[in-house]
């Protein structure tokens, strides 16, 4: 036993060392250099809406590449970090941190860091790139519009004028706290899943309403608190996959981003090797709940808690709180039966109710109406984040619905650098016509995808989008290393300057030619 433990520890330490070395390499070669204090950044200025993980990362890429920016955050400085500043201290990553590297300089200390470490890395990034002087807290963005010169204004001209806009409001805003009929009759405690800090559940019966990522976190919390028993009341089946970086990466390699004739293979393997005796919890084969239709939950502990009798996972519908005040009346449904379908009614008694009902999606209504032209409404945008009529607006990480991979990853920088390329290189900038054609093409390719063309994607599909849109335009080839890796911005800019000189020369030549022909015509008429 001692030898086995020693070997396991040695392997673990070796992997951790390699991971730390990898993080050092990424920081050393891919992190843009922070500007010196009080540097005068002369390249186009960009407005960034939101000081969460995405907003801070995008801002660091902007200033690191010589572009000035201003971050507008609706909350106070305590809101730095976005949703991670609001969740419980016990919250953390469900996916491995190697898949959650939102900036090359991030250095994780563990495979699954908790909320405090995530906020700490966001804060370090914010400080490292001198973003404190470029952040306006307590400034809610109500509207974004253009001045007569085509520059963007945030709320009013007193906030400055900008050549580009990055909306980084995320997908999680204020907690959703639904009212359940008869709730006032309940004799126990009711909390939202984001309000669990300082709470105790030892020896108590707990009912968790919801079956998503918030419910999984709440279940982990009450398990550590040694609750007597926990019921997870989920309305529908949702795939759960192992907390294993290799498995997650393999599933994200589906470049089609949809169910295929081969999807039964990973789904069957998961049912046999991961769910095993808990096949009833797995999504039904006949209910259209394929693995590549919704974001799966990444967790191994959940199924073990159910197997060990510490938790029960019930599929069904909340009816109301029981008149006795002891718990919730619940319509338990069999596998494959749709929501509000037939089932058997039972009373789920509880001392604590946890509302794992998620968060409201922040609105993008502050953007101009021209961003929401039918049938090109979000997420049906160019590369999912650029409104077809406005390539100078990037809604980074706030339009996705479902995915396999991660949303807080390398693509934050890639999307930001796409925007930077568009702002300084007219020949690389997409025209609205071709942006819409790309959207139409993607819809055609994924016409039979149950999750929709843009409502679900895999990370491999996202990389395919990036590479394809660069390869299709020869004027973007010089930007490939910069956009995809953040390397070599000076060479493309030098080429752009030469292209500008050629274009300006041609314009001047045409102007002179027009004057010459105009003069000849005038003399001929005389």
């Amino acid at each position: 036993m001692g030898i086995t433990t020693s070997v396991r520890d040695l392997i673990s330490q070796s992997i951790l060392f390699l991971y730390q070395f990898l993080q050092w390499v990424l920081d050393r070669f891919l992190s843009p250099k922070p500007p010196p204090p009080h540097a005068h950044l002369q390249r186009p200025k960009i407005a960034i809406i939101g000081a969460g993980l995405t907003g801070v990362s995008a801002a660091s890429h902007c200033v690191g590449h010589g572009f000035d920016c201003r971050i507008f955050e609706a909350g106070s400085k305590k809101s730095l970090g976005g949703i991670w500043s609001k969740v419980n201290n016990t919250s953390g990553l469900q996916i491995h941190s190697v898949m959650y590297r939102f900036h090359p300089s991030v250095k994780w200390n563990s495979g699954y860091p908790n909320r405090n470490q995530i906020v700490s890395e966001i804060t370090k990034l914010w400080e490292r790139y001198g973003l404190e002087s470029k952040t306006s807290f307590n400034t809610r963005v109500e509207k974004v519009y253009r001045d007569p010169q085509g520059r963007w204004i945030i709320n009013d001209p007193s906030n400055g004028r900008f050549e580009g806009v990055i909306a980084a409001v995320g997908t999680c805003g204020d907690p959703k706290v639904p009212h359940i009929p008869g709730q006032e009759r309940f004799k126990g405690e009711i909390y939202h899943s984001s309000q669990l800090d300082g709470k105790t559940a030892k020896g108590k019966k707990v009912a968790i309403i919801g079956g998503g990522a918030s419910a999984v976190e709440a279940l982990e919390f009450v398990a550590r608190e040694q609750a007597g028993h926990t019921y997870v009341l989920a309305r529908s089946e949702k795939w759960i996959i192992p907390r294993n970086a290799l498995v997650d990466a393999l599933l994200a390699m589906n470049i089609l981003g949809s169910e295929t004739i081969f999807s039964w293979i990973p789904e069957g393997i998961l049912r046999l090797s991961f769910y095993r005796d808990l096949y009833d919890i797995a999504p039904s084969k006949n209910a259209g709940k394929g693995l590549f239709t919704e974001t799966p939950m990444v967790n191994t502990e959940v199924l073990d808690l159910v197997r060990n009798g510490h938790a029960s996972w019930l599929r069904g519908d909340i009816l109301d709180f029981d008149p006795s005040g002891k718990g919730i009346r619940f319509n338990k449904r069999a596998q494959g039966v749709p929501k509000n379908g037939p089932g058997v009614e039972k009373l789920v008694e509880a001392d604590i109710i946890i509302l794992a009902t998620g968060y409201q999606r922040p609105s993008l209504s502050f953007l101009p109406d021209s961003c929401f032209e039918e049938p090109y409404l979000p997420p049906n945008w160019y590369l999912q984040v650029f409104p077809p009529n406005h390539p100078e607006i990037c809604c980074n990480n706030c339009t996705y619905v479902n995915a396999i991979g991660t949303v807080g990853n390398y693509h934050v920088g890639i999307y930001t650098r796409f925007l930077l390329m568009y702002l300084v290189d007219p020949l690389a900038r997409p025209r609205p016509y071709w942006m819409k054609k790309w959207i139409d093409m993607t819809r055609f390719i994924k016409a039979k995808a149950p999750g929709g063309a843009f409502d679900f994607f895999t990370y491999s599909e996202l990389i395919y989008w990036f590479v394809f849109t660069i390869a299709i335009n020869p004027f973007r080839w010089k930007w490939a290393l910069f956009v995809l890796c953040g390397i070599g911005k000076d060479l493309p800019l030098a080429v752009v300057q030469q292209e500008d000189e050629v274009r300006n020369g041609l314009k001047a030549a045409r102007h002179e030619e027009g004057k010459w022909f105009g003069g000849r015509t005038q003399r001929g008429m005389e």
Side-chain angles (χ1 to χ4, degrees), residues 146 381-394 414-439 465-466 468-479 483:
R146 271 179 157 167
W381 281 351
Y382 184 66
L383 297 179
Q384 204 187 43
V385 300
F386 291 98
N389 292 324
H390 297 292
E392 66 280 359
I393 294 178
C394 175
I414 293 175
Y415 273 134
T416 302
R417 292 189 293 269
F418 263 111
L419 177 66
L420 302 184
M421 174 181 68
Y422 295 160
L423 293 179
V424 300
D425 189 349
L427 295 178
R429 189 179 308 140
R431 296 180 181 180
Y433 174 83
W434 290 113
M435 295 170 80
K436 293 175 182 178
K437 286 300 179 185
W438 181 87
I439 296 169
W465 291 353
F466 296 155
F468 175 82
T469 54
I470 291 174
I472 200 70
N473 185 340
F475 292 106
R476 296 176 190 158
W477 294 354
K478 60 183 176 292
W479 290 100
V483 170

Side-chain angles (χ1 to χ4, degrees), residues 344-362:
V344 57
E345 183 180 319
K346 65 176 297 182
L347 173 63
V348 178
E349 295 188 3
D351 304 304
I352 298 174
I353 302 291
I354 298 177
L355 302 174
T357 44
Y359 300 84
Q360 300 175 19
R361 179 179 283 268

Side-chain angles (χ1 to χ4, degrees), residues 136-154:
S136 298
F137 290 108
N138 300 306
T139 306
R140 183 175 295 277
V141 174
E142 303 290 348
K143 61 179 179 177
V144 175
Y145 62 100
R146 271 179 157 167
D147 68 7
Q149 288 73 42
R151 294 169 299 180
W152 292 102
I153 294 174
I154 308 299

